[in-house]
Amino acid sequence: MRLFIAINLSDEIKESLCLTMRELQAEGSKGTFSGRENLHLTLVFLGEVERSRISDIKAAMETVAFAPFDIEIGSPGRFRRDEGDILWIGLKPNSKLASMRESLIKELKKRNFSPDDKPFKPHLTLGRRVVGGGRIPENTAGLRQSVTSMELMLSERTNGKLIYTPLYSRKVDRSAQEY
């Protein structure tokens, strides 16, 4: 099973990101754009994991205490690739988000997982293998969302379409102290 842990986005942010993608396409950008239902913020990519290990991932998620906090949409960017660029919208720096991710990685490593722990550059992917078009519109800057949960997500391809399915949701610990 191909798994990752994510923060799912509010309807307001998803709609704004979809508007941005439609604008890019209208300006001539071609590529594989994210479906509304797949828009999320990846905290930790786990990759291929045996089904029997899901309980260990849940235990790691449950160990991470966090109080509600806000994330804010920042500026757009692109990762240049020969086969076409990856277009994304970044998040403004957020120590609570970074701390939550660090705690999650630490707990996963305690349980013998090898999560991708390269430097965290929180972003929302708009499209992959994108060519043509102009600059990325900045109509999402300043949008905010309260983070009250993180989800364990299954990534699978069905009939050529990428589908993300939540397997487990870890809700905020309302008794947790601020970081």
Side-chain angles (χ1 to χ4, degrees):
M1 305 175 71
R2 189 172 170 87
L3 303 177
F4 63 94
I5 299 171
I7 293 172
N8 285 314
L9 303 172
S10 69
D11 287 337
E12 177 186 17
I13 289 176
K14 284 182 178 184
E15 190 53 44
S16 186
L17 294 172
C18 287
L19 174 62
T20 298
M21 289 184 279
R22 287 192 296 271
E23 288 176 15
L24 284 163
Q25 291 169 318
E27 292 178 9
S29 293
K30 304 272 190 255
T32 305
F33 286 88
S34 297
R36 185 184 196 286
E37 65 281 1
N38 286 351
L39 293 168
H40 67 278
L41 169 63
T42 300
L43 288 172
V44 178
F45 180 73
L46 295 164
E48 291 297 324
V49 176
E50 294 291 325
R51 180 176 291 278
S52 62
R53 301 287 324 269
I54 289 177
S55 60
D56 294 324
I57 299 169
K58 289 179 182 180
M61 292 170 70
E62 284 297 327
T63 304
V64 175
F66 68 100
F69 62 93
D70 287 349
I71 54 174
E72 184 176 350
I73 305 298
S75 300
R78 83 179 53 226
F79 298 128
R80 301 273 181 198
R81 302 285 192 269
D82 290 339
E83 68 277 6
D85 298 343
I86 297 173
L87 304 183
W88 49 270
I89 303 288
L91 270 75
K92 290 198 174 175
N94 186 311
S95 61
K96 293 177 182 179
L97 177 63
S99 180
M100 177 187 191
R101 181 176 184 271
E102 287 172 24
S103 295
L104 189 53
I105 287 174
K106 179 181 170 187
E107 292 301 324
L108 288 163
K109 285 182 176 182
K110 282 183 188 176
R111 291 163 177 81
N112 297 316
F113 286 95
S114 300
D116 180 359
D117 62 355
K118 63 186 171 197
F120 189 41
K121 185 172 180 92
H123 64 278
L124 314 171
T125 301
L126 300 176
R128 293 174 176 81
R129 294 178 299 284
V130 178
V131 295
R135 68 176 196 81
I136 305 168
E138 293 198 40
N139 57 9
T140 57
L143 286 177
R144 300 175 76 86
Q145 171 182 324
S146 181
V147 174
T148 58
S149 67
M150 62 177 144
E151 281 72 37
L152 174 60
M153 304 291 290
L154 169 66
S155 172
E156 55 191 346
R157 200 164 283 282
T158 304
N159 297 325
K161 184 177 179 184
L162 194 56
I163 307 278
Y164 297 150
T165 306
L167 298 179
Y168 178 71
S169 182
R170 163 64 164 92
K171 304 292 185 211
V172 71
D173 181 357
R174 298 243 178 240
S175 65
Q177 298 298 311
E178 293 291 318
Y179 292 109

mmCIF file with all atom_site columns, all heavy atoms in Angstrom, residues 124-138:
data_model
loop_
_atom_site.group_PDB
_atom_site.id
_atom_site.type_symbol
_atom_site.label_atom_id
_atom_site.label_alt_id
_atom_site.label_comp_id
_atom_site.label_asym_id
_atom_site.label_entity_id
_atom_site.label_seq_id
_atom_site.pdbx_PDB_ins_code
_atom_site.Cartn_x
_atom_site.Cartn_y
_atom_site.Cartn_z
_atom_site.occupancy
_atom_site.B_iso_or_equiv
_atom_site.pdbx_formal_charge
_atom_site.auth_seq_id
_atom_site.auth_comp_id
_atom_site.auth_asym_id
_atom_site.auth_atom_id
_atom_site.pdbx_PDB_model_num
ATOM 1   N N   . LEU A 1 124 ? 1.434  22.931 -1.786  1.00 0.00 ? 124 LEU A N   1
ATOM 2   C CA  . LEU A 1 124 ? 0.233  22.299 -2.321  1.00 0.00 ? 124 LEU A CA  1
ATOM 3   C C   . LEU A 1 124 ? 0.447  22.139 -3.817  1.00 0.00 ? 124 LEU A C   1
ATOM 4   O O   . LEU A 1 124 ? 0.570  23.135 -4.541  1.00 0.00 ? 124 LEU A O   1
ATOM 5   C CB  . LEU A 1 124 ? -0.999 23.166 -2.033  1.00 0.00 ? 124 LEU A CB  1
ATOM 6   C CG  . LEU A 1 124 ? -1.097 23.696 -0.591  1.00 0.00 ? 124 LEU A CG  1
ATOM 7   C CD1 . LEU A 1 124 ? -2.204 24.716 -0.459  1.00 0.00 ? 124 LEU A CD1 1
ATOM 8   C CD2 . LEU A 1 124 ? -1.275 22.550 0.390   1.00 0.00 ? 124 LEU A CD2 1
ATOM 9   N N   . THR A 1 125 ? 0.523  20.913 -4.292  1.00 0.00 ? 125 THR A N   1
ATOM 10  C CA  . THR A 1 125 ? 0.831  20.656 -5.700  1.00 0.00 ? 125 THR A CA  1
ATOM 11  C C   . THR A 1 125 ? -0.381 20.951 -6.569  1.00 0.00 ? 125 THR A C   1
ATOM 12  O O   . THR A 1 125 ? -1.470 20.413 -6.350  1.00 0.00 ? 125 THR A O   1
ATOM 13  C CB  . THR A 1 125 ? 1.276  19.194 -5.900  1.00 0.00 ? 125 THR A CB  1
ATOM 14  O OG1 . THR A 1 125 ? 2.433  18.957 -5.082  1.00 0.00 ? 125 THR A OG1 1
ATOM 15  C CG2 . THR A 1 125 ? 1.604  18.904 -7.353  1.00 0.00 ? 125 THR A CG2 1
ATOM 16  N N   . LEU A 1 126 ? -0.166 21.809 -7.585  1.00 0.00 ? 126 LEU A N   1
ATOM 17  C CA  . LEU A 1 126 ? -1.217 22.144 -8.550  1.00 0.00 ? 126 LEU A CA  1
ATOM 18  C C   . LEU A 1 126 ? -1.154 21.244 -9.774  1.00 0.00 ? 126 LEU A C   1
ATOM 19  O O   . LEU A 1 126 ? -2.185 20.819 -10.296 1.00 0.00 ? 126 LEU A O   1
ATOM 20  C CB  . LEU A 1 126 ? -1.078 23.600 -9.006  1.00 0.00 ? 126 LEU A CB  1
ATOM 21  C CG  . LEU A 1 126 ? -1.178 24.672 -7.929  1.00 0.00 ? 126 LEU A CG  1
ATOM 22  C CD1 . LEU A 1 126 ? -0.929 26.044 -8.540  1.00 0.00 ? 126 LEU A CD1 1
ATOM 23  C CD2 . LEU A 1 126 ? -2.527 24.610 -7.241  1.00 0.00 ? 126 LEU A CD2 1
ATOM 24  N N   . GLY A 1 127 ? 0.063  21.004 -10.278 1.00 0.00 ? 127 GLY A N   1
ATOM 25  C CA  . GLY A 1 127 ? 0.184  20.210 -11.493 1.00 0.00 ? 127 GLY A CA  1
ATOM 26  C C   . GLY A 1 127 ? 1.568  19.612 -11.648 1.00 0.00 ? 127 GLY A C   1
ATOM 27  O O   . GLY A 1 127 ? 2.539  20.135 -11.109 1.00 0.00 ? 127 GLY A O   1
ATOM 28  N N   . ARG A 1 128 ? 1.622  18.542 -12.420 1.00 0.00 ? 128 ARG A N   1
ATOM 29  C CA  . ARG A 1 128 ? 2.876  17.854 -12.728 1.00 0.00 ? 128 ARG A CA  1
ATOM 30  C C   . ARG A 1 128 ? 3.055  17.806 -14.238 1.00 0.00 ? 128 ARG A C   1
ATOM 31  O O   . ARG A 1 128 ? 2.069  17.803 -14.978 1.00 0.00 ? 128 ARG A O   1
ATOM 32  C CB  . ARG A 1 128 ? 2.849  16.425 -12.174 1.00 0.00 ? 128 ARG A CB  1
ATOM 33  C CG  . ARG A 1 128 ? 2.836  16.367 -10.655 1.00 0.00 ? 128 ARG A CG  1
ATOM 34  C CD  . ARG A 1 128 ? 2.655  14.918 -10.170 1.00 0.00 ? 128 ARG A CD  1
ATOM 35  N NE  . ARG A 1 128 ? 2.727  14.819 -8.740  1.00 0.00 ? 128 ARG A NE  1
ATOM 36  C CZ  . ARG A 1 128 ? 1.718  15.093 -7.907  1.00 0.00 ? 128 ARG A CZ  1
ATOM 37  N NH1 . ARG A 1 128 ? 0.554  15.487 -8.390  1.00 0.00 ? 128 ARG A NH1 1
ATOM 38  N NH2 . ARG A 1 128 ? 1.874  14.977 -6.605  1.00 0.00 ? 128 ARG A NH2 1
ATOM 39  N N   . ARG A 1 129 ? 4.315  17.742 -14.662 1.00 0.00 ? 129 ARG A N   1
ATOM 40  C CA  . ARG A 1 129 ? 4.642  17.700 -16.094 1.00 0.00 ? 129 ARG A CA  1
ATOM 41  C C   . ARG A 1 129 ? 3.958  18.837 -16.851 1.00 0.00 ? 129 ARG A C   1
ATOM 42  O O   . ARG A 1 129 ? 3.396  18.639 -17.924 1.00 0.00 ? 129 ARG A O   1
ATOM 43  C CB  . ARG A 1 129 ? 4.285  16.330 -16.686 1.00 0.00 ? 129 ARG A CB  1
ATOM 44  C CG  . ARG A 1 129 ? 5.140  15.199 -16.105 1.00 0.00 ? 129 ARG A CG  1
ATOM 45  C CD  . ARG A 1 129 ? 4.787  13.831 -16.632 1.00 0.00 ? 129 ARG A CD  1
ATOM 46  N NE  . ARG A 1 129 ? 3.425  13.396 -16.343 1.00 0.00 ? 129 ARG A NE  1
ATOM 47  C CZ  . ARG A 1 129 ? 2.990  12.961 -15.159 1.00 0.00 ? 129 ARG A CZ  1
ATOM 48  N NH1 . ARG A 1 129 ? 3.818  12.899 -14.139 1.00 0.00 ? 129 ARG A NH1 1
ATOM 49  N NH2 . ARG A 1 129 ? 1.752  12.580 -14.995 1.00 0.00 ? 129 ARG A NH2 1
ATOM 50  N N   . VAL A 1 130 ? 4.008  20.033 -16.277 1.00 0.00 ? 130 VAL A N   1
ATOM 51  C CA  . VAL A 1 130 ? 3.345  21.201 -16.867 1.00 0.00 ? 130 VAL A CA  1
ATOM 52  C C   . VAL A 1 130 ? 4.315  21.928 -17.787 1.00 0.00 ? 130 VAL A C   1
ATOM 53  O O   . VAL A 1 130 ? 5.454  22.217 -17.408 1.00 0.00 ? 130 VAL A O   1
ATOM 54  C CB  . VAL A 1 130 ? 2.825  22.151 -15.768 1.00 0.00 ? 130 VAL A CB  1
ATOM 55  C CG1 . VAL A 1 130 ? 2.188  23.396 -16.385 1.00 0.00 ? 130 VAL A CG1 1
ATOM 56  C CG2 . VAL A 1 130 ? 1.820  21.433 -14.864 1.00 0.00 ? 130 VAL A CG2 1
ATOM 57  N N   . VAL A 1 131 ? 3.846  22.215 -18.992 1.00 0.00 ? 131 VAL A N   1
ATOM 58  C CA  . VAL A 1 131 ? 4.612  22.991 -19.967 1.00 0.00 ? 131 VAL A CA  1
ATOM 59  C C   . VAL A 1 131 ? 3.724  24.124 -20.477 1.00 0.00 ? 131 VAL A C   1
ATOM 60  O O   . VAL A 1 131 ? 2.497  24.026 -20.474 1.00 0.00 ? 131 VAL A O   1
ATOM 61  C CB  . VAL A 1 131 ? 5.100  22.124 -21.154 1.00 0.00 ? 131 VAL A CB  1
ATOM 62  C CG1 . VAL A 1 131 ? 6.087  21.076 -20.688 1.00 0.00 ? 131 VAL A CG1 1
ATOM 63  C CG2 . VAL A 1 131 ? 3.939  21.465 -21.874 1.00 0.00 ? 131 VAL A CG2 1
ATOM 64  N N   . GLY A 1 132 ? 4.372  25.202 -20.929 1.00 0.00 ? 132 GLY A N   1
ATOM 65  C CA  . GLY A 1 132 ? 3.641  26.333 -21.491 1.00 0.00 ? 132 GLY A CA  1
ATOM 66  C C   . GLY A 1 132 ? 2.983  27.184 -20.431 1.00 0.00 ? 132 GLY A C   1
ATOM 67  O O   . GLY A 1 132 ? 3.097  26.940 -19.233 1.00 0.00 ? 132 GLY A O   1
ATOM 68  N N   . GLY A 1 133 ? 2.295  28.195 -20.889 1.00 0.00 ? 133 GLY A N   1
ATOM 69  C CA  . GLY A 1 133 ? 1.600  29.095 -19.980 1.00 0.00 ? 133 GLY A CA  1
ATOM 70  C C   . GLY A 1 133 ? 2.547  30.111 -19.379 1.00 0.00 ? 133 GLY A C   1
ATOM 71  O O   . GLY A 1 133 ? 3.736  30.151 -19.666 1.00 0.00 ? 133 GLY A O   1
ATOM 72  N N   . GLY A 1 134 ? 2.015  30.938 -18.537 1.00 0.00 ? 134 GLY A N   1
ATOM 73  C CA  . GLY A 1 134 ? 2.799  32.008 -17.934 1.00 0.00 ? 134 GLY A CA  1
ATOM 74  C C   . GLY A 1 134 ? 3.058  31.778 -16.469 1.00 0.00 ? 134 GLY A C   1
ATOM 75  O O   . GLY A 1 134 ? 3.173  30.651 -16.002 1.00 0.00 ? 134 GLY A O   1
ATOM 76  N N   . ARG A 1 135 ? 3.101  32.884 -15.754 1.00 0.00 ? 135 ARG A N   1
ATOM 77  C CA  . ARG A 1 135 ? 3.368  32.795 -14.321 1.00 0.00 ? 135 ARG A CA  1
ATOM 78  C C   . ARG A 1 135 ? 2.133  32.283 -13.580 1.00 0.00 ? 135 ARG A C   1
ATOM 79  O O   . ARG A 1 135 ? 1.008  32.376 -14.080 1.00 0.00 ? 135 ARG A O   1
ATOM 80  C CB  . ARG A 1 135 ? 3.825  34.137 -13.770 1.00 0.00 ? 135 ARG A CB  1
ATOM 81  C CG  . ARG A 1 135 ? 2.764  35.206 -13.755 1.00 0.00 ? 135 ARG A CG  1
ATOM 82  C CD  . ARG A 1 135 ? 3.295  36.482 -13.086 1.00 0.00 ? 135 ARG A CD  1
ATOM 83  N NE  . ARG A 1 135 ? 2.190  37.344 -12.746 1.00 0.00 ? 135 ARG A NE  1
ATOM 84  C CZ  . ARG A 1 135 ? 1.419  37.206 -11.671 1.00 0.00 ? 135 ARG A CZ  1
ATOM 85  N NH1 . ARG A 1 135 ? 1.633  36.231 -10.818 1.00 0.00 ? 135 ARG A NH1 1
ATOM 86  N NH2 . ARG A 1 135 ? 0.423  38.026 -11.450 1.00 0.00 ? 135 ARG A NH2 1
ATOM 87  N N   . ILE A 1 136 ? 2.357  31.778 -12.391 1.00 0.00 ? 136 ILE A N   1
ATOM 88  C CA  . ILE A 1 136 ? 1.271  31.218 -11.588 1.00 0.00 ? 136 ILE A CA  1
ATOM 89  C C   . ILE A 1 136 ? 0.534  32.361 -10.899 1.00 0.00 ? 136 ILE A C   1
ATOM 90  O O   . ILE A 1 136 ? 1.148  33.180 -10.212 1.00 0.00 ? 136 ILE A O   1
ATOM 91  C CB  . ILE A 1 136 ? 1.824  30.235 -10.530 1.00 0.00 ? 136 ILE A CB  1
ATOM 92  C CG1 . ILE A 1 136 ? 2.663  29.147 -11.211 1.00 0.00 ? 136 ILE A CG1 1
ATOM 93  C CG2 . ILE A 1 136 ? 0.690  29.619 -9.725  1.00 0.00 ? 136 ILE A CG2 1
ATOM 94  C CD1 . ILE A 1 136 ? 3.474  28.309 -10.252 1.00 0.00 ? 136 ILE A CD1 1
ATOM 95  N N   . PRO A 1 137 ? -0.798 32.470 -11.071 1.00 0.00 ? 137 PRO A N   1
ATOM 96  C CA  . PRO A 1 137 ? -1.557 33.529 -10.408 1.00 0.00 ? 137 PRO A CA  1
ATOM 97  C C   . PRO A 1 137 ? -1.421 33.432 -8.887  1.00 0.00 ? 137 PRO A C   1
ATOM 98  O O   . PRO A 1 137 ? -1.282 32.343 -8.341  1.00 0.00 ? 137 PRO A O   1
ATOM 99  C CB  . PRO A 1 137 ? -3.006 33.260 -10.826 1.00 0.00 ? 137 PRO A CB  1
ATOM 100 C CG  . PRO A 1 137 ? -2.921 32.371 -12.021 1.00 0.00 ? 137 PRO A CG  1
ATOM 101 C CD  . PRO A 1 137 ? -1.635 31.604 -11.879 1.00 0.00 ? 137 PRO A CD  1
ATOM 102 N N   . GLU A 1 138 ? -1.459 34.568 -8.225  1.00 0.00 ? 138 GLU A N   1
ATOM 103 C CA  . GLU A 1 138 ? -1.309 34.585 -6.763  1.00 0.00 ? 138 GLU A CA  1
ATOM 104 C C   . GLU A 1 138 ? -2.632 34.907 -6.070  1.00 0.00 ? 138 GLU A C   1
ATOM 105 O O   . GLU A 1 138 ? -2.662 35.596 -5.059  1.00 0.00 ? 138 GLU A O   1
ATOM 106 C CB  . GLU A 1 138 ? -0.234 35.597 -6.360  1.00 0.00 ? 138 GLU A CB  1
ATOM 107 C CG  . GLU A 1 138 ? 1.144  35.185 -6.816  1.00 0.00 ? 138 GLU A CG  1
ATOM 108 C CD  . GLU A 1 138 ? 2.255  35.899 -6.089  1.00 0.00 ? 138 GLU A CD  1
ATOM 109 O OE1 . GLU A 1 138 ? 2.148  36.105 -4.858  1.00 0.00 ? 138 GLU A OE1 1
ATOM 110 O OE2 . GLU A 1 138 ? 3.248  36.233 -6.753  1.00 0.00 ? 138 GLU A OE2 1
#
